[in-house]
Amino acid sequence: MQETNEPVEFVERVVAIDIGKSGVVVCVRVPSKDKPGRRRQEVREFTTLTASLLALADWLRCQSVSLVAMEAASDYWKPVYYLLEAEGFTCWLLSAKHVKNVPGRPKTDKLDAVWLAKVVERGMCRPSLVHPKPIRQLRDLTRYRRSLVRESTREKQRVEKLLEDAQIKLSGVISDVFGVSGREMLQALIDGQRDPKIAGTDGTRPDALQDPALAGGAHRPLHRRAQLPLPDDDRPHRRPVRPDRGRPPPDRGTDRSLRRCGRPAR
């Protein structure tokens, strides 16, 4: 370690971590044992794998570090923060605008870690809010649910626009396109059904569903059927059904004999 001559600090034993995607640069600053009023610092590099982060925690524990500071960099800070927090360290998450380096100085990972440690030990920054673990877990679940609801709504709107583009006025016939009746009609369209009477009959609704509005899409291109997967349908995507699907294969021998019988004599 190299000794430095710095003013009086506020945090005696501090560590700063410059976080990257695949590795971190750690700078530890502690008081000098031999020269009072001076500081010792050491910089090491670790990977972001769990075993390497556990080794980092052991090293910080040997240095009797009281505060761990790191800069919020995308989502890369979360594994490091959560693991060190679980190991019993006091962690600070700092905003980048609060610890911006001095303009004109060289910018490397090592220099960033040293600068961050100096800023933290002098009390020149304040930590950002990081909620406790139960609140974080709840926020993750609620945010994921909100994103699923938004995606489902976006997909339903896309299907309605696709039906309008194909001149199928299904939303004008029933109130809920994605209800029981609407899903059966959509499935019939996906399967290649073009008869509105068959596509509009579900056995539970009156004949009012057999509306001519369903016949408006008879001219629609076949590729539109492939763009109609039902939302919230966990079945695999079905390919458009060919018109000859389900028919028995022709008898090649009979076909040849018929052509032979119909061939004019030489």
Side-chain angles (χ1 to χ4, degrees):
M1 290 188 179
Q2 58 180 356
E3 296 183 357
T4 59
N5 186 10
E6 301 290 346
V8 180
E9 65 283 352
F10 292 92
V11 182
E12 185 177 12
R13 294 178 174 270
V14 65
V15 58
I17 304 177
D18 185 78
I19 300 177
K21 181 177 181 179
S22 58
V24 296
V25 179
V26 184
C27 176
V28 175
R29 288 176 63 85
V30 296
S32 177
K33 296 180 180 179
D34 302 330
K35 300 179 181 180
R38 297 218 175 172
R39 305 283 288 173
R40 293 189 306 149
Q41 68 180 28
E42 183 176 355
V43 180
R44 293 187 182 181
E45 296 184 5
F46 297 86
T47 64
T48 54
L49 299 178
T50 303
S52 181
L53 294 180
L54 290 175
L56 168 62
D58 293 338
W59 180 54
L60 297 182
R61 196 174 290 110
C62 294
Q63 298 294 331
S64 301
V65 172
S66 60
L67 179 61
V68 179
M70 64 192 72
E71 185 178 344
S74 185
D75 289 336
Y76 303 145
W77 63 271
K78 293 183 178 181
V80 182
Y81 187 98
Y82 296 159
L83 189 144
L84 294 179
E85 183 187 44
E87 292 294 322
F89 293 97
T90 302
C91 299
W92 279 14
L93 183 66
L94 305 177
S95 176
K97 63 180 180 180
H98 294 161
V99 294
K100 186 181 299 184
N101 208 334
V102 177
R105 294 182 57 181
K107 181 174 176 59
T108 62
D109 294 341
K110 179 178 179 180
L111 293 178
D112 287 345
V114 174
W115 172 260
L116 184 60
K118 292 180 179 180
V119 170
V120 173
E121 72 182 7
R122 288 167 173 78
M124 299 171 60
C125 58
R126 57 182 181 179
S128 302
L129 174 63
V130 179
H131 292 282
K133 184 176 180 180
I135 303 299
R136 294 199 301 260
Q137 295 176 347
L138 180 61
R139 284 163 63 92
D140 290 340
L141 293 176
T142 54
R143 288 176 177 178
Y144 181 60
R145 181 184 181 278
R146 182 176 58 185
S147 64
L148 291 179
V149 172
R150 289 179 177 177
E151 291 296 330
S152 177
T153 304
R154 188 179 297 110
E155 187 67 14
K156 290 180 179 180
Q157 294 174 350
R158 185 193 66 83
V159 172
E160 291 187 6
K161 291 182 179 180
L162 188 63
L163 293 175
E164 290 292 333
D165 180 64
Q167 194 58 23
I168 301 177
K169 304 296 182 179
L170 188 59
S171 58
V173 179
I174 57 179
S175 58
D176 187 7
V177 178
F178 299 96
V180 176
S181 302
R183 285 177 175 268
E184 292 187 0
M185 295 181 189
L186 290 176
Q187 189 61 55
L189 294 174
I190 294 173
D191 293 339
Q193 183 57 251
R194 293 173 177 269
D195 189 351
K197 294 183 178 180
I198 298 178
T201 303
D202 60 351
T204 59
R205 300 293 300 275
D207 292 340
L209 289 179
Q210 302 175 11
D211 196 276
L214 294 178
H219 66 282
R220 65 187 181 277
L222 293 179
H223 75 278
R224 291 301 188 185
R225 293 206 305 260
Q227 299 177 352
L228 274 177
L230 294 180
D232 302 331
D233 191 356
D234 54 357
R235 293 173 296 176
H237 180 65
R238 303 180 60 181
R239 296 181 178 178
V241 180
R242 297 182 312 201
D244 58 346
R245 182 67 60 86
R247 298 180 182 177
D251 189 351
R252 299 299 179 184
T254 305
D255 189 48
R256 293 194 189 95
S257 62
L258 291 176
R259 290 201 301 269
R260 191 179 302 113
C261 294
R263 185 180 301 170
R266 295 181 180 176

